[in-house]
Amino acid sequence: MLRHDVVIVGGGLQAALIALAVRARAPAVGLAIAERGPALGGNHTWCFHATDVSPRMAAWIEPLVGHRWDGYDVAFPSHARTLTGGYRAIPSDRVDAVVRAAGATIYTCAHATAVASTRVELADGRALTAPLVIDARGPDRSDGVGGFQKFVGLELVTTAPHGLTRPMLMDACVPQTDGYRFVYVLPLAPDRLLVEDTYFSERAYLDVDAVTAEVRAYADARGWRGTIARTETGVLPLPWQCAITAPRPGLITAGYQGGWFHPVTGYSLPVAARLAEAIADGLAEGDVLDRVDALADAHADQLGFASRLVWMMFRWFPPAQRRGVLEHFYRLPEDTIARFYALTLTRRDRARVFLRRPPPGLSWRALVTGGLAQDAR
């Protein structure tokens, strides 16, 4: 039996944020992470807006950040805009080394077969015990799924400089297939790009080969020719109903499993960072459950509103018309957009989402009946 002060199950973003926050606030706490893969971090690129996190959490996260930009672009058929907020990216290959440097004990290739208060059972027969267990395993929710966000991203090493200086968060000037579709582009270096084809779809099925071909065609059309250095894929459920798993003595369910994420965007870092702060502060002050409970109350209100937006997007608008919802959204004031991504919307922000002219494509029949909007024939 291996004893620690805190055991985290799952070695992704949430675990990394908790480890860094605990090192800063409660460095004497002995923290361990059990990850089923060969290293922490997996194969991901996590992004966030500079306004998504508190100043002190930004300082704790800083060692993870690999790329920084001072603004980003969005483009729709009748509207394009440059926004000035800072944007950051965390490449997964930084996570393992940074968390190890923070002093956490890492168990890799450690598949958890049972997770309970104060105890974690591993497939190899070992048991990890601690006064506090944090279950931070990945996105596996099936309750009230409205649709799915799915993507294929190719990291390209280009044969010539690509010329981009800031990210394109949404290029929605592409054919609208399989729901709302946009292309996301991060300039990682003068000769390196992450080009990601993303869909907000009713279907979880992702044809990786077909979407990879779409990404290559998009890049080729812009003169971005080169070799593929890395591929990442994902399918995230976008729930229209979601509850936070209440913490209890000896066990906190964190990350996507616990409801600590943004149901509209799939972004997890802003909420995961706030949870990491609450846990670290609670460990430092001896009131972890009280702090997590208080944060859960605040997050539940935001989560409920955002989940309703998922319902509206998938129920009120036909798939080919969802682009108009996002185009409408990106006409809002920049501070409202920032708070939307951070999931810290005010009542005024919420009113702004609804008090403008409705986006084109709204199905009034679906709105009134609660039915599913269909493609116009």
Side-chain angles (χ1 to χ4, degrees), residues 137-141 236-239 242 254-262 266:
R137 288 175 291 181
D140 184 22
R141 301 183 70 97
L236 295 174
L238 300 176
C242 185
Y256 202 100
Q257 290 272 47
W260 300 95
F261 67 102
H262 196 315

Side-chain angles (χ1 to χ4, degrees), residues 2-366:
L2 302 166
R3 292 182 173 86
H4 302 277
D5 297 325
V6 176
V7 172
I8 303 175
V9 184
L13 176 67
Q14 180 72 86
L17 297 180
I18 294 171
L20 296 180
V22 169
R23 179 184 68 172
R25 284 289 286 129
V29 169
L31 186 146
I33 300 174
E35 161 58 32
R36 66 180 178 180
L40 303 184
N43 179 32
H44 304 282
T45 302
W46 292 288
C47 293
F48 64 102
H49 300 76
T51 52
D52 286 347
V53 297
S54 69
R56 67 172 184 163
M57 196 70 212
W60 300 342
I61 292 172
E62 183 60 26
L64 294 172
V65 176
H67 308 282
R68 302 163 185 81
W69 303 274
D70 293 331
Y72 63 91
D73 297 318
V74 295
F76 297 87
S78 62
H79 177 61
R81 186 176 182 183
T82 298
L83 294 98
T84 58
Y87 198 65
R88 309 288 185 259
I90 297 173
S92 57
D93 60 9
R94 298 176 72 93
V95 172
D96 195 272
V98 169
V99 174
R100 288 181 189 275
T105 300
I106 311 297
Y107 299 97
T108 54
C109 300
H111 177 63
T113 56
V115 178
S117 296
T118 73
R119 186 179 179 89
V120 178
E121 303 283 349
L122 301 181
D124 62 8
R126 291 180 295 175
L128 309 179
T129 63
L132 177 62
V133 170
I134 302 171
D135 188 351
R137 288 175 291 181
D140 184 22
R141 301 183 70 97
S142 58
D143 53 322
V145 172
F148 299 87
Q149 181 191 130
K150 55 191 184 183
F151 61 88
V152 175
L154 304 183
E155 189 171 321
L156 301 176
V157 179
T158 58
T159 55
H162 50 71
L164 294 186
T165 58
R166 57 181 176 263
M168 171 63 77
L169 255 62
M170 284 189 183
D171 181 358
C173 301
V174 293
Q176 295 300 286
T177 56
D178 195 10
Y180 170 54
R181 178 191 176 211
F182 65 92
V183 178
Y184 173 82
V185 185
L186 296 181
L188 305 178
D191 64 345
R192 190 175 289 257
L193 291 166
L194 177 62
V195 185
E196 191 171 281
D197 202 347
T198 304
Y199 301 79
F200 282 36
S201 171
E202 281 84 7
R203 303 183 304 155
Y205 175 69
L206 178 63
D207 187 334
V208 175
D209 291 340
V211 179
T212 296
E214 294 279 9
V215 175
R216 291 306 301 254
Y218 179 92
D220 288 347
R222 287 150 184 78
W224 302 335
R225 294 178 174 84
T227 59
I228 300 174
R230 187 176 64 89
T231 300
E232 61 179 273
T233 65
V235 179
L236 295 174
L238 300 176
W240 58 264
Q241 62 180 25
C242 185
I244 299 168
T245 302
R248 62 179 190 265
L251 180 64
I252 293 172
T253 305
Y256 202 100
Q257 290 272 47
W260 300 95
F261 67 102
H262 196 315
V264 181
T265 66
Y267 278 56
S268 57
L269 192 143
V271 181
R274 291 197 283 274
L275 179 59
E277 282 189 300
I279 290 171
D281 288 343
L283 288 170
E285 304 297 334
D287 57 353
V288 174
L289 293 186
D290 288 343
R291 288 178 183 265
V292 174
D293 272 331
L295 181 62
D297 289 341
H299 178 51
D301 178 58
Q302 297 286 338
L303 190 66
F305 180 78
S307 297
R308 288 193 293 276
L309 293 181
V310 174
W311 169 265
M312 291 164 52
M313 181 181 295
F314 283 93
R315 292 283 170 168
W316 292 3
F317 294 87
Q321 298 293 335
R322 288 184 195 131
R323 174 168 58 185
V325 178
L326 277 299
E327 185 170 1
H328 172 84
F329 168 75
Y330 270 106
R331 295 181 186 274
L332 294 173
E334 191 164 338
D335 59 343
T336 297
I337 293 171
R339 286 190 291 272
F340 169 77
Y341 275 107
L343 205 55
T344 56
L345 287 166
T346 65
R347 290 185 178 181
R348 185 179 182 187
D349 293 330
R350 297 181 188 189
R352 280 173 167 164
V353 171
F354 292 108
L355 291 182
R356 293 186 170 210
R357 178 185 296 178
L362 176 66
S363 169
W364 292 103
R365 179 180 178 183

